[in-house]
Amino acid sequence: FQFLMEAFITNLFGVALAVFIIYWIASPLANYTGLSLNSDFLRSPSFWLELGILWVVSSSVAGFYPAVVISNFRPIGALRSVNKKSSGKVRRAIVIWQFMASSCLLVGAIIVNEQLKEMNERPIGINTENMILVDMPNFTNDSEGFYRSLNNLKIDLLNQGEIIDVSYASDAPGEAVGWRGGSSLIGASSDTDGGMIFKLVADKDYLDTYDSEFLAGRNFQQLSETRSVILNKKALEIYGFSNPEEALNKRIWFSNLDTLQVIGVVADYHQESLREPIKPTAYIQNHIGLKYLFVRVNQMEDINQLASKIQANFETHFPQLPFDWTLMSDQMALRHSGESQFKKAFSLFVFLAFLTSMLGLLGLVSFTTKQRQREMAIRKVLGSSVLHVVGLFFRSFLTLALVGNLIALPIVYFASNQWLNSFAFRISFLWWSPLIALGISLVIAFATTINSILKVAHINPVNILNQE
């Protein structure tokens, strides 16, 4: 009971210190990870209930085994300093567990980093360089008047020497296309030639502005081509077309729209995050749902000056709207903001968990070296060098590290693939990552424990053996 109470009291101080630390670092932690964190949790009864359960469970688990072992010591044996030597199975199991956990966390961190790197560096299929994105919400009921003003603004902006391309659309790259509905191929022999398709409203220059690749047919040539449609390659699948040329001049009925004739097919590009698959998309011209203006400029050095010029033209045609703009590069970075937040939070968790693991390892090494002082003293008397004594300790730890990493391999392989499978475009499992994790864990374990081991290796054997 005494030893259990010591465990409960020690853990209580740890819990109190943890709450105090989190209270003060919640705001900086939120700024770093992008997660929503604040000190409001202190006013939540459920938080204190869960914390109490955590304290009781962790104290019981951590304190029960040591309490039973220590309380079962025979007094006469303890007083004579004659203890039955422990097999050390529990200690070895704990070290293996720590190496296994460290390996899993390190491999996980590598996988997360490489997946996010692949997502950010993978070409999306269109050119978004030197692009300014202007919000154009239509707060009026006059869609046709809004449409005319938008085209007049486009003409004025193209007269500016620094501006290369101008276009507008209902959805911006980096976000999901919001308008979708059913469709069917006119004249098809089967009702299966059709399905759900995403409809992106744009002007005739939208696809050229982003340097989209045409696989067949042509782009819009006039604003009046509202009875024509351009499909992306993914859309060919739902209508049963085997190649882009086959789709040309076919007529497709779109729900909540009309029957339109296919005039072109463009290559697929990543409209959204790479977590999402490429969606079947139809590009149409219309005066409804337009929300964004895209302006490509020669160079981005004087971006604020260029934004001021765009604003002046914008306010001429839309005096009732606020002028709100952003860089397309910033817009594209938002695609994977959730994954970036997860990476930061996970990396921080890996660091803290690894630090805790190494502290535990340091405690176990200190205990082991204390237990093996007599053995090391006898070895030194018989001629063993300091290097040999150090090697004996690390040979045993290397074996445990290899066992821990081997146990971690199937665990981390399964867990990593489960996480990666949530992405439409994912990397393969990195088989070299467990080797990196093993190397890092061994280096850190060596740096953590070398001081304790050297103390034993350099101790005078006479001081140890005289105690026996």
Side-chain angles (χ1 to χ4, degrees), residues 311-326:
Q311 182 176 4
N313 286 274
F314 177 89
E315 292 175 347
T316 299
H317 297 279
F318 297 97
Q320 77 280 11
L321 291 182
F323 181 73
D324 188 15
W325 67 279
T326 186

Side-chain angles (χ1 to χ4, degrees), residues 151-225:
N151 282 295
N152 291 332
L153 172 60
K154 176 180 175 180
I155 293 171
D156 289 347
L157 289 175
L158 287 173
N159 289 328
Q160 304 291 330
E162 304 93 336
I163 296 176
I164 304 174
D165 296 306
V166 179
S167 63
Y168 51 81
S170 59
D171 304 277
E175 67 176 20
V177 176
W179 190 13
R180 62 179 179 176
S183 64
S184 59
L185 181 64
I186 301 298
S189 57
S190 172
D191 293 337
T192 60
D193 291 334
M196 186 68 66
I197 192 167
F198 292 77
K199 290 167 278 190
L200 192 150
V201 182
D203 72 335
K204 64 184 183 64
D205 298 317
Y206 176 81
L207 294 171
D208 287 340
T209 298
Y210 284 103
D211 297 335
S212 298
E213 178 189 358
F214 271 80
L215 304 178
R218 61 175 178 84
N219 195 5
F220 299 112
Q221 296 176 346
Q222 304 294 331
L223 287 174
S224 58
E225 287 187 275

Side-chain angles (χ1 to χ4, degrees), residues 168-398:
Y168 51 81
S170 59
D171 304 277
E175 67 176 20
V177 176
W179 190 13
R180 62 179 179 176
S183 64
S184 59
L185 181 64
I186 301 298
S189 57
S190 172
D191 293 337
T192 60
D193 291 334
M196 186 68 66
I197 192 167
F198 292 77
K199 290 167 278 190
L200 192 150
V201 182
D203 72 335
K204 64 184 183 64
D205 298 317
Y206 176 81
L207 294 171
D208 287 340
T209 298
Y210 284 103
D211 297 335
S212 298
E213 178 189 358
F214 271 80
L215 304 178
R218 61 175 178 84
N219 195 5
F220 299 112
Q221 296 176 346
Q222 304 294 331
L223 287 174
S224 58
E225 287 187 275
T226 58
R227 308 282 295 181
S228 301
V229 63
I230 297 173
L231 304 177
N232 69 347
K233 185 179 179 181
K234 185 69 175 179
L236 301 180
E237 299 175 6
I238 65 175
Y239 302 117
F241 298 131
S242 58
N243 58 73
E245 287 78 11
E246 187 181 350
L248 296 180
N249 300 319
K250 296 295 190 299
R251 297 170 66 241
I252 299 174
W253 173 84
F254 297 93
S255 64
N256 300 321
L257 195 58
D258 206 341
T259 299
L260 308 179
Q261 185 174 17
V262 180
I263 62 170
V265 178
V266 294
D268 294 332
Y269 67 87
H270 297 283
Q271 171 72 22
E272 308 173 57
S273 161
L274 268 72
R275 179 183 287 273
E276 299 295 327
I278 292 176
K279 310 289 177 58
T281 306
Y283 302 89
I284 60 176
Q285 288 199 101
N286 209 306
H287 60 272
I288 60 174
L290 299 171
K291 293 188 295 184
Y292 298 103
L293 184 74
F294 313 103
V295 182
R296 187 188 300 281
V297 299
N298 276 318
Q299 51 188 4
M300 304 292 282
E301 283 78 4
D302 300 324
I303 190 62
N304 290 324
Q305 183 178 353
L306 283 170
S308 298
K309 289 184 177 181
I310 296 172
Q311 182 176 4
N313 286 274
F314 177 89
E315 292 175 347
T316 299
H317 297 279
F318 297 97
Q320 77 280 11
L321 291 182
F323 181 73
D324 188 15
W325 67 279
T326 186
L327 296 177
M328 182 58 73
S329 56
D330 294 338
Q331 165 76 7
M332 300 306 289
L334 292 175
R335 295 177 303 154
H336 306 135
S337 58
E339 287 76 16
S340 297
Q341 290 176 359
F342 174 75
K343 174 190 172 183
K344 290 180 178 180
F346 186 75
S347 299
L348 183 61
F349 171 74
V350 169
F351 170 76
L352 293 175
F354 208 84
L355 177 63
T356 305
S357 177
M358 290 303 103
L359 289 173
L361 180 61
L362 178 60
L364 286 168
V365 169
S366 299
F367 178 79
T368 303
T369 53
K370 183 73 174 178
Q371 292 290 96
R372 298 182 66 181
Q373 280 185 346
R374 181 184 172 194
E375 175 195 343
M376 295 302 109
I378 295 174
R379 287 182 179 275
K380 292 194 68 176
V381 169
L382 295 176
S384 293
S385 64
V386 172
L387 184 61
H388 178 71
V389 172
V390 172
L392 286 174
F393 278 101
F394 276 104
R395 193 176 302 126
S396 60
F397 279 115
L398 178 61

